[in-house]
Amino acid sequence: MVKFGRHLQFYLESDEQSSGIEPFIVPYTDIRDNIGHSQDEFSRAWQASLETASNDYTDRTRLLWKQIFSDLFRSSNFEQEHRGLPHEEAIELYVSAMDEGRSRDLLTAIKKIHTSASMNAEALRKLVKKFDKGAVARGDELLTSTLIPELYSAPFMAYPTLEAHIETLRDSLVVAEEEEELDEDSVMYSIRKKTILSTKDSADVKRRADEMSWLHDMLANGIPGSIIPSLVAHRGFHCPRDYSGKRPLENSLSSFESAWSAGIHLCECDVALTKDEKLVLAHDEDFSRLALDPSKDCSTKKVGDLTMKEIISLTFKSGTRPPLLLDVLRSAQAIGGFARLVVEIKPGNQEACTALIRLFRQHPELIERCAVIMSFDAYTMHKLRSGLDDLASELMAGCVPIRRSDSPDNVCSIEEAGSSSTQIKLPEVILLTVADEPQQHYELCVGVSDFSPVHSWLQHEGKPSLNGVYLQYQPEMLQPNGIAALRALSNQYRVGVWGYFGDPDNIATASSLVRDSGVSFVNTDLPRNFNSMYR
């Protein structure tokens, strides 16, 4: 069961809706609540939403095209031969005539129209499906044959055409994940030069060296080798109290490289999508907590409102800048071995999922460096699963062997005749949950006392979809009943455990979760006393 209502509610409350006039979004929950009470009220509410969604889409697209042609007509690039331009050519001409900022604003506007239209289409379709599911038992008529034709002929069902416009804009703006190598004259090189320490900083250098030495020694001598593959370095090897100087800053390139080089297999990171569609590592909605100068505009702006150029100009407390996901995946590839990422996508951020699949399509050699993609948003994860499966089909059609971790033999052995086989391991897609009382609409709550809801959450339309679930730590997980419940769940799915700062974070806890309960992933901040309680 995909929690579409929760996803929709989060979208409505998200900050992405804070600028400009909000688009109409179908009141999914209100209409759904009419099911079982009154067929007439349900139909009236459904049809009213269909009409409003259609008018909203028509009005927004009309204003969009008026703005495009108004700007073009005033520009020097508009010639007589441009009269009656086809829409794709109009967009291409717009990009060439306007500055980059205006073109990116157009991209943002089209994406917002596309998102609201696609959500409304899905909401109205799902409402009919839910109504008809129990209609016969309730004595109601089936509505699919009458309402779905109305939906499929509505103006906003043309929203897939906007996808072509979005791709045209991306191509014209040369929005590619491939980043140029930095040279000594680049902004990044000058920022990195700031981090070179003079002799007066020898004490700080020694503290950092001691910290890295401790990590290497602990992984080499203090932890059973069977546990290490399940440890997930939360935001890399960093200081959970922001920046102490002894460890790298969270979600920084050095925090991941330090962990992987020391022997950690998995590092967790958070990603966000910039205004120019780059996937950058960021946990908070802005960079004020980590910025060297938190008063700067680029420190307090939401990550989604920043361009990559602005992010490069932003300096962290550590002297570095936020890395692209592409940067981190390339580092994992260079380090090799077991170095892989666990990527968390914030709820409601389907655009980030689309960008991630686009990155994998452009760089299939980096796919295997992403072990897990997870989110608290069940709907978004099921959509991502579908997108990854489509990508797998594309790669297989190109004679690239694909390996899915949930396939029986873990390998899809398709080889091009006369060529060597290259195996690509697709990421596992996992649902994050909470054990405490949910604070947000998108949060799904489950605990060791009853894991039964998990089974429906991981399915899509009655079929297996997601690989597993990431659970919030509970003390009962270390008790006999909790161990047994976790073991039973782990026998069916991949299971991870995350915790808050202050929860038990030591080798004894991790070892029990992995050894006794069969848990696959255990998040850790790698505190200094991590191995002190191991027996």
Side-chain angles (χ1 to χ4, degrees), residues 13 40 53 59 78 87 304 310 313 354 421 424 452 461 465 500:
E13 295 176 354
D40 289 341
D59 291 344
F78 197 83
H87 46 66
E310 290 174 307
S313 70
T354 302
S421 173
I424 298 178
S452 61
E461 297 185 347
S465 176
Y500 287 116

Side-chain angles (χ1 to χ4, degrees), residues 65 68-69 84-93 161 164-165 168:
W65 285 111
I68 289 172
F69 279 96
L85 270 178
H87 46 66
E88 293 301 317
E89 292 181 25
I91 288 176
E92 291 173 358
L93 181 63
T161 61
H165 302 337
T168 297

Side-chain angles (χ1 to χ4, degrees), residues 115-408:
T115 299
S116 60
S118 61
M119 283 193 169
N120 285 336
E122 186 73 350
L124 291 168
R125 184 190 70 82
K126 283 183 173 292
L127 284 167
V128 175
K129 181 180 178 181
K130 280 184 176 292
F131 185 92
D132 281 3
K133 184 177 181 180
V136 175
R138 295 191 308 268
D140 290 329
E141 297 178 5
L142 297 176
L143 296 179
T144 293
S145 62
T146 56
L147 296 187
I148 292 299
E150 292 187 38
L151 171 62
Y152 289 173
S153 59
F156 62 89
M157 290 304 293
Y159 73 85
T161 61
L162 297 179
E163 295 169 7
H165 302 337
I166 291 169
E167 289 307 315
T168 297
L169 275 166
R170 284 174 177 151
D171 292 342
S172 300
L173 288 165
V174 199
V175 178
E177 295 296 340
E178 186 74 35
E179 299 298 322
E180 296 179 359
E181 295 295 326
L182 297 167
D183 56 35
E184 294 193 1
D185 294 325
S186 71
V187 175
M188 258 314 298
Y189 185 80
S190 64
I191 291 175
R192 287 174 180 169
K193 287 192 348 186
K194 298 175 186 177
T195 66
I196 299 175
L197 301 173
S198 63
T199 55
K200 69 177 182 178
D201 297 317
S202 58
D204 289 338
V205 171
K206 184 177 185 305
R207 291 168 64 214
R208 294 176 191 176
D210 288 344
E211 200 74 6
M212 287 306 304
S213 177
W214 167 80
L215 179 62
H216 280 263
D217 290 346
M218 182 188 67
L219 292 172
N221 305 308
I223 298 180
S226 60
I227 304 300
I228 292 176
S230 298
L231 297 179
V232 181
H234 179 231
R235 303 182 206 168
F237 182 58
H238 78 289
C239 177
R241 297 184 182 277
D242 294 342
Y243 185 57
S244 66
K246 292 195 299 182
R247 295 186 180 188
L249 201 63
E250 67 176 60
N251 277 330
S252 63
L253 199 56
S254 57
S255 71
F256 301 111
E257 291 173 343
S258 297
W260 286 325
S261 298
I264 288 289
H265 292 195
L266 299 170
C267 290
E268 183 264 356
C269 69
D270 311 272
V271 297
L273 194 65
T274 65
K275 186 176 181 179
D276 49 354
E277 300 196 307
K278 307 294 184 184
L279 282 168
V280 66
L281 270 59
H283 176 269
D284 302 345
E285 65 177 16
D286 60 41
F287 291 114
S288 58
R289 179 170 59 88
L290 304 178
L292 186 63
D293 182 0
S295 65
K296 288 183 65 176
D297 285 345
C298 56
S299 301
T300 55
K301 269 187 179 180
K302 289 181 173 57
V303 179
D305 293 333
L306 294 171
T307 64
M308 194 57 208
K309 181 177 180 180
E310 290 174 307
I311 286 176
I312 287 177
S313 70
L314 189 155
T315 308
F316 275 169
K317 297 173 183 177
S318 58
T320 61
R321 53 94 172 167
L324 290 169
L325 177 61
L326 182 62
D327 297 332
V328 184
L329 290 172
R330 281 176 168 166
S331 284
Q333 183 81 339
I335 292 170
F338 298 102
R340 300 173 78 196
L341 271 179
V342 173
V343 177
E344 179 179 348
I345 294 177
K346 297 304 179 185
N349 201 343
Q350 286 191 58
E351 289 291 339
C353 293
T354 302
L356 183 56
I357 291 174
R358 190 164 62 246
L359 184 153
F360 287 156
R361 183 177 289 111
Q362 293 168 349
H363 303 280
E365 74 282 1
L366 298 179
I367 296 176
E368 65 179 357
R369 291 300 158 185
C370 182
V372 171
I373 306 168
M374 60 185 184
S375 176
F376 285 102
D377 189 336
Y379 179 78
T380 294
M381 287 298 92
H382 284 284
K383 295 287 282 187
L384 175 67
R385 172 81 278 166
S386 176
L388 287 173
D389 287 344
D390 289 344
L391 175 61
S393 299
E394 292 178 29
L395 294 173
M396 290 174 69
C399 299
V400 179
I402 303 300
R403 177 169 64 181
R404 268 190 67 165
S405 53
D406 57 351
S407 62

